[in-house]
């Protein structure tokens, strides 16, 4: 168990005392300069939309497959070039990770996956790739492709678990199980592929204890990173019709308290890829304040310092 007397400080380079192990800090230390993710819509769909396992998608998912800010013209190189042009004035010396974000990015014939993934990796300013998918969409031929790519470049795979609780999974129409996640995480670990797990905080019917149980569960796995999403109710999702008045967290302070409790349970060696959520204001229904990303993050960091706590403070290996 971590000492309760000496806080872990992971990064002070920007003048802020970061008490969490962010992916930005990890990438900066690994590559020696700023690394930025470029979100892509590869044109994939999902077995929970096309009828293979279900229709309508997961209830919280937006019409774009929760890739509302991803570029998806159909030309991977052009989409990367466009985003780099927009970002290069802010980070002129940055390098980039191609992030296949929208829908299920391993749900296609392997020759199509190969063509799109390598099209991104052929860009001269791309130094790695991140691939978001469902835990039930990793057949053997796809795992072989991921193994091949992982041996050639920096890569991680993101698994959308969201919760460990079966009743919530059914209510949210996820159409996969915790055993699917366990199997996928084990296979990726065996291949030496970095794995990032997505969890959603604030799902209908879940108590704070249930959410923290999910965090503890994935923290016990041999994974590279965790994403903590605050549930946003967005226009175009099935939740908009079924839960039109739902609000996951009433105040920023309520969310801050929960997410800090979650961070304390996560091993300090695990990279944190997100501790809030993003949704365009044009589609956001609730919480009405969740678009205030900088305010939320600053509040979390400030409160952690005030409480003299840090990532992994309550982690028990």
């Amino acid at each position: 168990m971590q000492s309760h007397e000496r806080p872990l400080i992971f990064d002070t380079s920007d003048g802020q005392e970061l008490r969490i192990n962010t992916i930005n800090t990890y990438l900066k230390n690994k590559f020696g300069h700023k690394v930025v993710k470029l979100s892509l819509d590869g044109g994939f769909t999902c077995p929970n939309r096309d009828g293979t396992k279900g229709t309508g998608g997961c209830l919280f998912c937006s019409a774009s497959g929760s890739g509302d800010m991803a570029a998806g013209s159909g030309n991977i190189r052009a989409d990367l070039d466009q985003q780099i042009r927009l970002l290069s004035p802010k980070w002129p010396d940055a390098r980039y990770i191609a992030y296949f974000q929208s829908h299920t990015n391993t749900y296609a014939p392997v020759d199509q996956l190969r063509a799109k993934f390598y099209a991104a990796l052929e860009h001269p300013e791309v130094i790695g790739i991140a691939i978001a998918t469902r835990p039930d969409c990793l057949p053997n031929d796809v795992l072989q492709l991921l193994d091949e790519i992982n041996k050639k470049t920096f890569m991680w795979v993101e698994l959308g678990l969201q919760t460990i609780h079966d009743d919530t999974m059914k209510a949210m129409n996820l159409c996969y199980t915790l055993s699917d996640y366990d199997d996928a995480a084990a296979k990726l670990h065996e291949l030496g592929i970095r794995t990032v797990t997505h969890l959603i905080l604030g799902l209908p019917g879940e108590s704070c204890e249930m959410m923290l149980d999910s965090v503890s569960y994935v923290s016990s796995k041999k994974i590279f990173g965790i994403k903590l999403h605050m549930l946003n109710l967005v226009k175009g999702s099935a939740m908009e019709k079924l839960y039109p008045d739902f609000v996951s967290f009433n105040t920023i302070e309520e969310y801050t308290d929960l997410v800090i409790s979650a961070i304390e349970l996560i091993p300090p060696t695990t990279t944190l890829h997100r501790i809030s959520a993003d949704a365009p204001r044009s589609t956001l229904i609730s919480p009405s304040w969740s678009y205030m990303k900088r305010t939320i993050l600053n509040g979390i960091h400030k409160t952690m310092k005030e409480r003299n706590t840090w990532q992994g403070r309550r982690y028990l290996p």
Side-chain angles (χ1 to χ4, degrees), residues 226-293:
I226 292 175
K227 273 190 175 181
L228 298 176
H229 300 260
M230 173 173 49
L231 178 65
N232 284 328
L233 179 61
V234 295
K235 297 175 183 177
S237 66
M239 275 195 73
E240 180 186 12
K241 297 179 180 179
L242 294 174
Y243 299 86
D245 300 317
F246 183 76
V247 180
S248 55
F249 296 93
N250 291 313
T251 66
I252 293 177
E253 292 75 20
E254 182 185 352
Y255 180 73
T256 296
D257 283 341
L258 178 66
V259 81
I260 290 175
S261 294
I263 290 169
E264 290 176 329
L265 296 171
I266 298 171
T269 53
T270 302
T271 54
L272 289 182
H273 293 236
R274 178 172 289 172
I275 55 175
S276 184
D278 288 320
R281 293 186 70 177
S282 60
T283 62
L284 177 65
I285 299 173
S286 72
S288 60
W289 44 264
S290 75
Y291 71 90
M292 301 166 62
K293 182 177 179 180

Side-chain angles (χ1 to χ4, degrees), residues 74-268:
N75 185 319
I76 299 294
R77 178 61 180 259
D79 289 339
L80 292 170
D81 283 337
Q82 179 189 32
Q83 292 186 72
I84 290 172
R85 282 195 299 270
L86 292 172
L87 295 171
S88 57
K90 183 176 182 180
W91 295 301
D93 299 320
R95 290 296 180 267
Y96 300 94
I97 287 177
Y99 176 36
F100 285 83
Q101 180 181 20
S102 303
H103 298 290
T104 304
N105 293 280
T106 58
Y107 186 58
V110 74
D111 57 334
Q112 294 182 25
L113 299 177
R114 178 186 297 275
K116 293 184 179 184
F117 295 161
Y118 276 103
L121 288 168
E122 287 167 1
H123 194 288
E125 295 187 64
V126 168
I127 51 85
I129 188 170
I131 300 166
T133 190
R134 291 165 54 97
D136 58 346
C137 290
L138 289 170
N140 288 336
D141 58 346
V142 171
L143 286 169
Q144 290 171 6
L145 173 62
L146 296 177
D147 183 36
E148 171 192 317
I149 294 172
N150 188 54
K151 290 174 179 175
K152 295 180 179 181
T153 191
F154 180 79
M155 183 181 80
W156 71 71
V157 172
E158 301 190 2
L159 296 178
L161 174 59
Q162 321 310 356
T163 178
I164 66 168
H165 302 289
D166 184 62
D167 287 346
T168 309
M169 287 183 169
K170 291 177 181 176
M172 292 293 103
N173 193 43
L174 301 189
C175 296
Y176 55 75
T177 65
L178 182 58
S179 63
D180 289 327
Y181 168 79
D182 289 340
D183 183 57
K187 288 178 178 178
L188 291 169
H189 176 72
E190 184 177 354
L191 293 172
I193 295 173
R194 299 172 188 85
T195 304
V196 176
T197 300
H198 291 222
L199 292 174
I200 294 179
L201 303 177
L203 289 166
E206 291 210 346
S207 65
C208 291
E209 290 74 18
M210 292 172 70
M211 298 177 219
L212 295 177
D213 285 345
S214 292
V215 174
S216 293
Y217 185 87
V218 301
S219 294
S220 70
K221 301 291 181 179
K222 297 176 181 178
I223 56 175
F224 172 62
I226 292 175
K227 273 190 175 181
L228 298 176
H229 300 260
M230 173 173 49
L231 178 65
N232 284 328
L233 179 61
V234 295
K235 297 175 183 177
S237 66
M239 275 195 73
E240 180 186 12
K241 297 179 180 179
L242 294 174
Y243 299 86
D245 300 317
F246 183 76
V247 180
S248 55
F249 296 93
N250 291 313
T251 66
I252 293 177
E253 292 75 20
E254 182 185 352
Y255 180 73
T256 296
D257 283 341
L258 178 66
V259 81
I260 290 175
S261 294
I263 290 169
E264 290 176 329
L265 296 171
I266 298 171

